[in-house]
Amino acid sequence: MKVAVVGGGLAGLAVALGCEEDGHDVTLFEASSELGGRMKTLQEANHPLDVGFHVLHTAYSTVKRWIDLDALQSKPMDACTMTIAPSSGRRRLLGDALRNPRYLLSTLKSVGISDGLRFLRWRMSTSARDLERSMDAPTATIAEGLGQRNFRASTQRVLQPLFAGITLDPTLSERIGFADFTWGAMSHGKMVMPRDGIAAVPNQLAARLRSTEVRLNTSVEGVTASSVVVNGHPETFDRVVLAVPQHVAGRMLPDSLGEHQPVERLTTTVVFVAPTAPFPQARLLLNEEWGEEGQHVLHVHLPTNLHPHPDGHHWVVATLVGEDAENVDVESVSAELTNWFGPSVSQWSHLTTTTVRHALPHINPAHHARALPNLEVNGVLLAGDHRTHPSVQGTLRSAERVLEHLSIPLPRRA
Ligand SMILES: Cc1cc2nc3c(=O)[nH]c(=O)nc-3n(C[C@H](O)[C@H](O)[C@H](O)COP(=O)(O)OP(=O)(O)OC[C@H]3O[C@@H](n4cnc5c(N)ncnc54)[C@H](O)[C@@H]3O)c2cc1C
């Protein structure tokens, strides 16, 4: 069978690999100059820097099926989150005490016994075997759902930025079932960062392609069930798989969107080089006052605390989302962080600023199933996170669904 795969992100790569290993003749079209899509890592000052805060969850069932974790030389983030209230300088620590008992006292001190028990119940309600089952029933949005769960206001001030960061959506309009899925992933596995950055994940699949013809810098203009149009010329295939982001799929195949209209999910990271690390751990520092007047930075992390820079540089990465992520002014971010870390911020230098537009798809919160029902639209097969849910698990599941539909076995892990 002659298969065209349009889009060389994680979904397209997985579909191409599955088809190739089953003996099909695959052409992979990628608009940009490299494969990997949104799992992107830059080389800055001789060290990998992810575009946007991105971790790999080892609890994802698809990661176990597709990715050789050992080869990534990953290191885990701490199983906890720190928070800061910049106006007072107060910090709190919330950790998974079942994973590491030394987090118990600090977490109870941070959230109190009643919310500590709520966290425990939340964890127990997730299933390590089937993380996605939380999306199989109608749920409220994250904003509504967090309210219904009766957390104290001070705990909400931690959960809101946490989920705004995970969904890259300040309005928290994703399904709370998706929040439950991520909570389960955090509870039942580790959050790791590959030594060479998050792009090492799609790169691992790309490196396994042998016979697939990869056409980089080739923007596809249109697709039908049996053709792909490039530079105005249609090319014929037996099957066409569209594995582009939601807003592009909507342009090429408007019927694919249905009730799930793309909404801009924007994130910007501002990266500074600091002579000393403002904190030594590999964890997120969340802003409890995010959203209040003058509080734009959502969280800060230091990737060099996990994978040290060879020259001993410390990278401080500040993340902003939504409107705050538009036209970010480095000076104001630096001034804001001075309230967090004190005058030493004046010794930091700006390394780079990255912005991701259309960072994640928008799934109508009224939708309640782990995958969208229409896998095939006008004869074109659809893959990508917008067919399932906005995560690596959702992305790889979308690719698996396409392969299952074509009766193609999943490739054996390398
Ligand atoms: C900043 C950020 C942080 C994230 N953090 C996490 C996380 O911590 N954990 C997690 O599980 N998930 C996370 N995600 C989500 C995860 O990265 C995505 O769900 C996943 O990468 C989507 O892969 P995809 O193949 O569906 O799409 P993409 O990666 O977008 O791939 C689509 C490809 O199609 C190409 N393309 C577009 N138009 C055309 C065209 N006309 N012709 C040819 N090619 C085209 C694009 O260039 C791209 O390479 C994050 C995403 C972002 C952006």
Side-chain angles (χ1 to χ4, degrees), residues 115-127:
D115 277 359
L117 286 171
R118 285 188 184 95
F119 279 144
L120 184 63
R121 270 202 299 275
W122 194 358
R123 189 192 205 281
M124 308 291 255
S125 71
T126 63
S127 159

Side-chain angles (χ1 to χ4, degrees), residues 88-99:
S88 63
R90 183 186 69 151
R91 290 196 192 189
R92 296 195 281 170
L93 185 83
L94 287 79
D96 185 346
L98 293 184
R99 179 82 54 81

